[in-house]
Amino acid sequence: MIVFEKPEFLNESAERTDLIEKLLDIGAALSSAQDLGGLLNLILSKSREITYSDAGSVYLVDHSDKKSKLLFKVAQNGSQPRLSFKEFALPLTDKSLAGYVAITGQSLNLSDAYDLPPGVPYQLDTSFDRDINYRTCSVMVLPMQNRQGETIGVLQLINRKTKAETVLTAENAWESTQQYSEWEERIVRSLASQAAISIERNQLQESIEHLFEGFVKASVQVIEARDPCTYGHSERVAALTVRLSEEVNSVNTGWLRPVYFNNRQVQEIRYAALLHDFGKIGVPEAVLTKQKKLYPAQLEIIRHRFALAQRTMEMECIQSKYQYLLEHSAYRKHQDEGPECSHCQQIEQLDTRLAEVKTRLADYWEVLIEANEPHILAEEPLAQLRELSRQTYRDIDGAIKPLLTADEMVQLMVQRGNLTPEERSAIESHVTHTYEFLSQIPWTKDLKNVPGIAYGHHEKLDGTGYPRGLKQSEIPIQAQLMTIADIYDALTAGDRPYKRALRTDAAMKILRQEAAHNKINADLLELFEHRQVFSVLGHSFDAKVESA
């Protein structure tokens, strides 16, 4: 029987066809890689795969500082896969193999890295081999160049094995490896160029994300600069909302089971939470930072008005005394002590009346100061305020005027909180301002829901929220998550001068009441409580919390 062997050129053709298919697969994989670390590992592993390389590394050129450097980013070793490598920086000089290639843009294809041609500036750092009992033999170092011909990185392949399955040691490395062929060098150089484009695209994407991250942080700083009382609120709400969304991902029962947020959706939630209050930039600063029912300037004017009223009454008392003494001075020459004592009594009565009026004025001031606090007004203070609203004084021009104006009374008569209906409407408008601002940003496809999520964070499930009065089915679940986080932080924050911070258990009690009245999502709140999402802020239960 005659056995015909397959011609050598057919074997090479099959291998090259297989290689081309692998290169096509690699190209598709490079295009879909997202993070830089994963991309660099993919480039190195695929390059090793098609060249039977035992090990390798990837360097990136960094020109961010005045002194350019090489960043050792990724390393792999098939014979010692458990080795761990840490990123470090090298000076960008021609003293190292990678540095020489990065500077010159020329490839190196060495049969033995320990035996270099005379006169070359570069040399192999053998300390790594000594540390892990390894032997570097054949080495191929290639520049990764972008479309402009700039070297942005270096791909270094080590020990081209004769058999892919061989595990190399210091003892068998020389006999088990060979020099890289010119064909492999051309193929990998082409791959390195394609990798450079992918790296550049990835770096550009990272730069855009860093740019946007900086924009978001700057926007938060703008909000906090206008409203220092809520410093850190946006970051805390973002941390709580992101943590709650991650907890939702872990639920495997009930209606939440199919709900899952991928990494980009979590980032979308984070941006929406960070920017949810940006619209406060469109709210008048005086209203935004208002701490009491009256503005500080108003209270100062009223204080001067009270002082003027007291001074006017003192002057009137002095004038009454003077007038009385003028009218009755003739009696002092002809009358005995009895009538003179009567004059003294009259003057004392004027002084007593003045003291009573001053006391009453001081009492009214105390009523006003108490009513100015942003707490719930009881019936008695309300009655005292109504009495105060009827009090008048004589101005310096002699005109009779009220101690408090109608507008001041409207503000002081606010029964809950410190805002009038008009001021509250101005504050609530921040949600619409936020949406209008965020809608102007050309969001990428995977962040397009940021405006809508932020728009819904003050809506309530029963339709009583603002600004649109949406019902549960109309409110994005991401916004429902943020609502819980927003309310919790507002209740527990210790930096609000107009209210005291609540303990965690007290805040949870209020949140459960909101859920019971169908204001917020009860299932999400239960998850928030039992998974202790608030612990992301360092909070823990201050006391035993009843089950929801």
Side-chain angles (χ1 to χ4, degrees), residues 40 58-63 69-71 102 143-154 192-201 203:
L40 296 180
V58 177
Y59 300 81
L60 293 183
V61 178
D62 182 11
H63 296 298
K69 53 185 177 289
L70 270 181
L71 299 180
M144 293 191 291
Q145 296 176 324
N146 61 18
R147 280 167 286 197
Q148 289 74 42
E150 300 169 333
T151 300
I152 67 169
V154 173
S193 296
Q194 186 178 2
I197 295 171
S198 296
I199 291 170
E200 195 170 47
R201 173 184 56 79
Q203 289 176 328

Side-chain angles (χ1 to χ4, degrees), residues 290 293-303 305 407-408 411:
K290 191 179 184 186
K293 293 180 182 178
L294 295 170
Y295 297 102
Q298 284 181 299
L299 188 62
E300 186 65 13
I301 290 171
I302 295 171
R303 187 181 69 80
R305 199 181 295 151
D407 288 342
E408 291 162 352
Q411 289 174 252

Side-chain angles (χ1 to χ4, degrees), residues 68-261:
S68 298
K69 53 185 177 289
L70 270 181
L71 299 180
F72 179 85
K73 299 292 290 186
V74 172
Q76 297 171 1
N77 190 305
S79 295
Q80 300 191 38
R82 293 185 179 181
L83 284 176
S84 59
F85 302 93
K86 292 183 179 179
E87 180 179 325
F88 62 88
L90 292 170
L92 184 55
T93 70
D94 61 1
K95 303 302 181 185
S96 66
L97 303 182
Y100 176 83
V101 171
I103 292 172
T104 64
Q106 299 176 7
S107 302
L108 292 177
N109 190 344
L110 308 172
S111 59
D112 186 358
Y114 279 67
D115 184 17
L116 299 175
V120 297
Y122 51 83
Q123 60 181 3
L124 177 70
D125 181 3
T126 59
S127 62
F128 183 76
D129 282 4
R130 291 195 301 271
D131 290 342
I132 66 170
N133 189 31
Y134 194 70
R135 173 62 161 89
T136 298
C137 297
S138 56
V139 174
M140 184 164 61
V141 192
L142 301 160
M144 293 191 291
Q145 296 176 324
N146 61 18
R147 280 167 286 197
Q148 289 74 42
E150 300 169 333
T151 300
I152 67 169
V154 173
L155 173 62
Q156 182 170 280
L157 298 175
I158 299 171
N159 285 340
R160 200 292 189 191
K161 295 190 287 189
T162 54
K163 294 181 180 180
E165 67 276 6
T166 303
V167 176
L168 298 185
T169 65
E171 291 73 25
N172 71 357
W174 182 252
E175 63 189 39
S176 302
T177 60
Q178 65 184 48
Q179 186 173 5
Y180 291 91
S181 68
E182 291 184 8
W183 165 252
E184 288 171 329
E185 183 178 341
R186 289 200 304 271
I187 289 295
V188 178
R189 189 173 182 114
S190 174
L191 175 59
S193 296
Q194 186 178 2
I197 295 171
S198 296
I199 291 170
E200 195 170 47
R201 173 184 56 79
N202 187 277
Q203 289 176 328
L204 178 61
Q205 178 68 25
E206 283 195 350
S207 296
I208 292 171
E209 291 187 1
H210 288 156
L211 176 66
F212 191 74
E213 188 76 21
F215 162 76
V216 170
K217 288 180 179 178
S219 299
V220 172
Q221 288 179 353
V222 169
I223 301 167
E224 293 177 344
R226 296 200 76 235
D227 189 8
C229 297
T230 58
Y231 179 83
H233 171 70
S234 297
E235 287 87 349
R236 293 192 299 269
V237 170
L240 289 166
T241 309
V242 166
R243 177 65 176 273
L244 184 53
S245 68
E246 292 169 345
E247 293 297 343
V248 168
N249 285 349
S250 67
V251 175
N252 52 22
T253 59
W255 69 273
L256 285 174
R257 181 178 180 179
V259 179
Y260 184 84
F261 304 108

Side-chain angles (χ1 to χ4, degrees), residues 28-46:
L30 290 178
S31 299
S32 61
Q34 296 294 326
D35 66 289
L36 182 60
L39 176 60
L40 296 180
N41 270 295
L42 178 65
I43 292 167
L44 183 55
S45 63
K46 292 300 183 181

Side-chain angles (χ1 to χ4, degrees), residues 272-317:
L274 283 170
L275 295 169
H276 76 282
D277 275 345
F278 187 83
K280 286 182 177 180
I281 199 169
V283 178
E285 190 168 354
V287 177
L288 192 63
T289 59
K290 191 179 184 186
Q291 300 178 10
K292 311 283 186 179
K293 293 180 182 178
L294 295 170
Y295 297 102
Q298 284 181 299
L299 188 62
E300 186 65 13
I301 290 171
I302 295 171
R303 187 181 69 80
H304 284 293
R305 199 181 295 151
F306 269 66
L308 178 60
Q310 180 172 312
R311 183 60 57 89
T312 300
M313 288 185 291
E314 290 172 347
M315 292 298 296
E316 288 176 348
C317 180

